[in-house]
Each structure stands twice: as C-alpha cells, then as structure tokens.
Amino acid sequence: MRRRVLPALCGALIATALAAQPIQPALADPTAPPSTPPSSAPANRSAGPSAEPSTSAAPSTPAQPDRSGRAATRAAGDQPHASYWHPNTILDWNPATDPDARFNRSRVPLRPRATDPALKANPNARAGEGKIASLVSFGPTSGNPSQGSLDPNYYAFTYWQYIDTLVFWGGSASEGLILAPNATVIDAAHRNGVKVYGTVFFPPTAYGGQIQWVRDFAQKSGSTYPVADKLVQVAQHYGFDGWFINQETAGGDAALATEIRSLMKYARAKGPVEFMWYDAMTESGSVTWQDALTTANDAFLSDPARVSDSMFLDFGWSAGNLRSSRDLARSLGRDEHELYAGIDTEANGYNTGVNWDAVFPAGQPHVTSLGIYRPEWTWKSSSGPADFRTRDSRYWVGANADPSDTATSSPWKGLAHHIAESTAVTAKPFVTGFNTGHGDFYNVGGTRVRTGGWNNLSVQDVPPTYQWVVNSTGTRLTPSIDYGDAYEGGSSLRLTGKLDAANTVRLYQAKLPVTAGTKLSVVVKTPAAGPTRLKAAVAFTDAPGTFTTFDLGSTSGTGWERRTLDLSAHAGKTIAQLGLRAEGSAASYDIRVGQLAVYDGAVDTPAAPSRLQVLGATDVSSSRKSLRLAWTAAGSGQVHHYDVYRRNADGSRTYLGATPNDAYFVPRLDRAGAETSTTIEVEAVSTEYGRSAAATATVAWPGGPGEENHALGRPATASGQCAADEGPAKAVNGTVTGGNSDKWCTLTADRWLEVDLGEARPLTRFVVRHAQAGGEPAAFNSRDFTIQVRSDASQEWTTAVTVTGNTAAATTHPVTLTARHVRLSITRPTQNTDSAARIYEFEAWGS
C-alpha cells in the first residue's frame, strides 16, 4: 500500500484527482518543491497519514505564531475559528482570555450507543468486534469556522452508525501543530454516540518539522507536563474526548520517546482524556513505520501499564502483520480491536485497494479495527452536493444504496458489509426532522424562515440507522433525504415510486422504553389532500423483527400535518425499531415525512434564555454586519438548541442560525431599508421541540435618524503623532479615503487619543477604523486596545471596552452609557512588532 513517490509528485496526483471540483477547498501549487509542499499532500513517507503541511518553507528556528488560532476579538463581531497552537503557544491559552473559546464549546454530551446483532442489516456484518476510526479534514488548520457558515457545500457526514471515533484532522508547521475540533463536529458526533479527538501533528522535516517542537511538547516542569495539562484543559473545556498523536519528525532518541509515553500516561490520569497513537516513532526515538504492533512500538500501547487507548497502524500492513499484532495485543492484556489497521482513501476513495479479508475475514472474528484516512474524498472529489451524497452512500453502504444488499463485483462493498450498525436512539425524547445539517433554506415548524445556503452540524438530527432498507413483495419505494422541503431545518424524508404492495421502510434501530404516557408523533405532507397510505411502524424487543403499525390516515390539504399516536397499550415494552409502512396502490406515490418523535406526556416548553447581549459587531458594509452574541442559558427544561432570529418590520422573523451553546456567531445581518436598529431574538428549543419566549437585544445601524457620530469634527488630543499631517484631528474628520495621511499615527510608548464631545452624550456604540480601513496592510490593524469614558475632566476614567487579539479593519463596540470625554488607548498597535498605532477614524455614536 505504500506509495513510494516524491512528495511533489504525490501532491500532483492528488491535485489531478481533485481538480476543478467546485466544492473542494483550494489546493496549493502541486508543482511546489518538497520544501514547500502542497496543502493536503501526504507526509515525506507518503503512505503515512499527515496533516495539512505548511505552504511555506520551514523556519530555520522553531518560530511559533503568536495568534494561537485566535483570529477574532472579544468585542468585535468577527468569525471565530477552531483553536490551533504550537506546543509553546498552547501554554498561554486560557479560555477566559481567548475570545473564540466560548464559541468552540460543545454542549452535547456523548450519548450511549447500543447495537442488537439480531437487527444488523447485513448478514456478513459483525457487531461488537472491529471498530472504525475516521480521520477527517473539514478545512484548513486555520480555517475551520466554529459554528458553521453560509455555505451548503460542506462535509455533512450522515453515516455515524458505522464509526466509533472521529479524528478532527489537521495541523501544519506554519499554522499550528495542535488542532482542537470545532463545536459543530463535536455536537453532531456526540449526538450519535461517536467520540471526537483533536490532532497533534509533528511533520517530517521535509515538511517543516523540527525536533525541538517535539521536545517542547514533552517538556517537564517538576512532576508535571505543562503541555499535557493544556491538552486536558482544552479537551475538557471544549467538550471532546481525546487526541490523536502523529509524531513523524526525525531526530528523536529513546529518552524523548519515553517522555512522550510518560506524558500520555500523565494526561490520561488527569483526564478523562484519551489518546490514539500513530505507528511512526518507535521506542528508540527513530521514525520507522512498523505497519504493525511490534516489540519496537508496543510500549506506546502498554509499558506494561496502559499508555495510549489505541494505535493506528500504518498503511503497509499485511494479513500476517495484523495477526501478529492481534496476538501481541492479547499478550499485553489489550483488546486487538484497539488496533486500527490504516487505509488511505484520500486520493481514490472507494477505488482504493484494501485487503479486506486481512482485517474483516468473512465468517470469522475481526482481526483488528479499521482506521480510515480521509473519507471526505466523497465530498472533495464530487461535482456537487447530489454527487457527494451518491458517493458517500457508495462509500459507506455499497453500490446498491442498501446496507442489506452489498453484492457487487467491486472489491469495495461498503463499510456496512463488515460493520453492524450502532444506534444512539437510546433515550427519550427522540426527535428527528431528517435534518442533515446543511441545505439551501431553513424551515421552522414548516415555515420558511431563511433562504440561502448554510451548514451547521450542531443542528444535524440523528440520521436513519438504515439507509436504506425497504422490504416489499412488489415494487420497492425509494426513500431519500429531500432538500426541496422540510419541517425543521433544510431537509426531510421522502418516499417515492410505484406503490403496488406493502413496503416496510426500516429507519431506526432503537432502545426506547414505553410508559403509559409515551407518544409517537409523525408529521407528513402530501401533494394533494387524501389518504396517506402510510403507517408508522414500531417493533419491540420481545419480537424485534415484527412491526406493529399505526395508521396515519388522510391529509386535509397540502401542508404539513401532525399525527400523534398513543403507545400506552404497549407500556412496559421497549422499542427496538422505528419505521414506516406504505400500503395500498398508487401509480406515482409521493409523501414527505418532516418529523418523527417519541416522547412522554405533553411537549415540554423550556424556560427562556436571558441577558442576551451583543458581544461585538463588525461592519461588513454600511448595510451588513456580523455579530457575536451571548446569553444566559435557560434555567429549566432540557434544551436541544437555541434559535436566533431578527425581527422584521412586518412582525415576521428571519432565521439567523442556531446552536446548543450559549453564544453564537451571526455571519450576516442585513439592514432592512433605512432602519436605525434591528431587534435580535433568541429562543430556547426543548428536546421535544417546544419553544420558549424570546430574549431580545438591539443592534444599531449607522447614520439613521436620531443617531449621529458625536466625535465627528470635535476637538481631539493625543499622546503624539508620527508626522505633521498625522495628528489626532485626522481620526475625527469623517473620512478614511485620503491615503496614508488621513489618519492619526503615533510612535509614543503610551498611545492614546482623546475626544471632547462638548457635553455629556448618550452613547450606543463606538466604531474604530484601523489601518486596513484606510488601505494599509492588515498586519497594521490595532491588536489590543481599550476605550475609556468620563463625563467630566475631573473624574477618573472608566473602561467601557476591552479588546484583545483584534485582526479586523473596523470594529464596532456596543455600549449603553453617557459620557463627554472618550479615550482610545492602544496597548498593542499591530499584529507584528511594528510599534506605530494607526487609527483612521474613532467614532462615538449615540442620540
């Protein structure tokens, strides 16, 4: 399996396979020399998994970026991203001072899963043996939005039932070696009972790797490992489960290898946090891939105490390698399924050659588990969303789009051929709208509340366990996820085709106890009023293959209609499967299912969130903003997520997004006409989809009636100025278009600008336009600053705004205060070591 090719050639092969696909991330120049490898190219030993390598030559010393993955600010409304670090910069990370940390937290706990071997779709699949780890790159290391984006083209994975661990893949020498997963991926994975790991990647020296970074990682202070402490803190604060460690940098020794093992044991003891070790560095410290568990690397699994929780075996394994690995693992007291035989599908997807019998021999116990490198090939190689979904189905359930029928001439039969499905539908309430976490619109309760593309895995529902298993004695209907209509979200379940015999559609494996108050609710939509010819189908654990059906009757129109069914007659039983049965005849049957729910009693209404506040706003243009919002979580009731809206002049609402978190980034808020302010609303949605009252906040727009910039043209003083034509008056002259001399600039050690507003004024926001707003490089934008106020010159200054880590050209800072004197103090004037502060405008808006 090892591809003995040069990195540049390997990059060219990948670029050729993925070229000109509209939904893939851009690739770097495939002709780049080895010192500047293309993004997504494999490591120096191209068979080994590698994160996204640096696109620039490696520094001669272990230089480390000071951004630490924090591109946004505490007060401004910029896009937050997933966190990334080098070993020394993670030591400075503190969630209290990282403005992005609040947006990267997952609030979805890891759900328990179950699997019933009697309900597996494929007779060849085995339950409770081999597992699957999936190593996925959702975006560049420095470009993973924390909470989704306004782009439907995303790796919206929907086959969670076949994997056990997802590794959020990334890392590069130039960006950061340590990458934490973003909140949306953690939320979706945990809702499906799948663990999530971040990545620690030490690249080969040809890709910028430096052994000093490995030594920094394993540094010890007394009896502690400071970086390990941070790995534990990051995982616990963000709510994920562990780390994948890929150490491929040459130059180590046995002492360093020992320290890394000690670090993992130390972190696991402090945890809970887990580790998956990649087969590269050996116990001697050299980087020598074993393609197996051997006496050269087994100490990274156990020495003899547990070191890592699992090991990813490099791609060059053979059947003999795996059998010997299994035997060695057992001799160490470890489960052989904690070993993951790696396969590399980044370049060829389901056309990759795999010795399946070596891992999952037919009719025999699984030898090891399976580690899949880059299954998102299905997305990156596709021509569009529909093609992606077809490829993803082929990858996971086989060529027939039916996990119960994987017969094909292709060696790749789909993972469903080998692995039995697991289910996270193990507790009530269970509600699904068949929302896959991306789409071209958004509906709430069947009403269109947003048009335009989006992705947000935090609101992805648990996908059907069986995609798709249909039993019929006649023509089989075709189930699909339909992106043309929805009850909740951007998609729904649709059944189409010729109905000439009973069709039973198996949807979910489950483990849900039934009580006297349990209800089953189904929301349906038909093209015309009349009989649905559809029944809800429920199987119980005492006869898990036999369905009891409940007729859904007829519809009265063409809109969404709910049917609520009483399951009290089955109290004391446990639901094993949920499905649908279509009966009757129709030449062209077509029905949509918008929601399926199992819950007890009445639908719960959660308490409302409170103290909604705009943490910051960034003016994208005069009629568009991005916002950072935060609120206090609902005090009672189980909350599934919070929906965020803007209130329109006609009383309607436009959907802005959703999150299970207590903070949300709004990427786009558009001004409606000449409105002077926009009301933002946040409501809690319960796990049964009851909705609370809304918390509200107001966002002001510039230049509206009754609002003015009170700093415009007012007397200004400053700590100094860089040149005669760069005095403080330039920061209040109302323009940024006059070139480099249209700014206030200072080189003084204490950098401040004061404006006298003439009298005490009610203020609603400050706007600061930094260097880039006037056409200068973004590197000159002010990084750290405060805004202080007072109503009289005899008073002490009061700090109203504190910003750290800004990168934006213009920042908006909402306030509610009254002041006459305002003061901008800049503590870190640029993104680099340049010491000049450059402010093109300092505005104080109010009535």
Side-chain angles (χ1 to χ4, degrees), residues 69-129:
R70 299 188 289 274
T73 70
R74 179 181 301 281
D78 296 344
Q79 169 73 64
H81 289 88
S83 299
Y84 53 94
W85 306 270
H86 281 75
N88 278 346
T89 60
I90 197 174
L91 298 177
D92 297 326
W93 182 78
N94 184 337
T97 57
D98 179 354
D100 285 3
R102 188 168 186 175
F103 298 86
N104 279 311
R105 297 193 77 177
S106 171
R107 303 291 184 171
V108 179
L110 180 66
R111 289 190 179 176
R113 296 210 299 184
T115 185
D116 184 346
L119 294 176
K120 64 183 182 180
N122 194 285
N124 184 76
R126 302 180 73 90
E129 296 183 12

Side-chain angles (χ1 to χ4, degrees), residues 120-206:
K120 64 183 182 180
N122 194 285
N124 184 76
R126 302 180 73 90
E129 296 183 12
K131 301 177 181 180
I132 293 181
S134 180
L135 280 59
V136 180
S137 174
F138 287 88
T141 296
S142 57
N144 282 284
S146 301
Q147 298 177 314
S149 68
L150 300 181
D151 184 355
N153 296 316
Y154 194 71
Y155 183 58
F157 178 63
T158 58
Y159 294 93
W160 299 100
Q161 64 269 37
Y162 299 112
I163 73 171
D164 298 88
T165 303
L166 183 140
V167 177
F168 194 81
W169 194 251
S172 74
S174 62
E175 296 165 294
L177 308 178
I178 303 169
L179 176 63
N182 64 18
T184 57
V185 170
I186 306 171
D187 289 342
H190 278 187
R191 194 169 284 127
N192 286 277
V194 173
K195 293 180 179 180
V196 181
Y197 290 178
T199 301
V200 180
F201 172 55
F202 296 105
T205 55

Side-chain angles (χ1 to χ4, degrees), residues 116 119 423 466 508-512 538-545 574-578:
D116 184 346
L119 294 176
T423 181
Y466 305 105
Y508 289 94
Q509 188 180 141
K511 193 175 182 180
L512 301 175
V538 181
F540 302 98
T541 53
D542 57 350
T574 298
I575 296 173
Q577 289 194 81
L578 292 167

Side-chain angles (χ1 to χ4, degrees), residues 579-595:
L580 298 166
R581 178 173 291 166
E583 295 180 349
S585 61
S588 182
Y589 187 70
D590 189 355
I591 191 168
R592 287 181 172 89
V593 180
Q595 190 181 82

Side-chain angles (χ1 to χ4, degrees), residues 552-636:
L552 300 182
S554 298
T555 57
S556 59
T558 58
W560 291 105
E561 298 185 21
R562 183 181 297 276
R563 301 290 180 266
T564 301
L565 309 166
D566 184 1
L567 296 184
S568 61
H570 303 278
K573 294 186 177 182
T574 298
I575 296 173
Q577 289 194 81
L578 292 167
L580 298 166
R581 178 173 291 166
E583 295 180 349
S585 61
S588 182
Y589 187 70
D590 189 355
I591 191 168
R592 287 181 172 89
V593 180
Q595 190 181 82
L596 179 67
V598 180
Y599 59 94
D600 290 338
V603 172
D604 291 338
T605 300
S610 59
R611 300 180 62 189
L612 173 62
Q613 57 181 317
V614 180
L615 296 180
T618 295
D619 291 326
V620 179
S621 69
S622 61
S623 60
R624 182 172 295 170
K625 296 178 183 288
S626 59
L627 307 174
R628 289 185 173 208
L629 306 175
W631 55 87
T632 300
S636 63

Side-chain angles (χ1 to χ4, degrees), residues 677-701:
S677 63
T678 301
T679 297
I680 304 297
E681 299 183 355
V682 175
E683 66 182 24
V685 181
S686 77
T687 51
E688 296 178 353
Y689 274 70
R691 299 179 187 275
S692 75
T696 64
T698 301
V699 177
W701 293 96

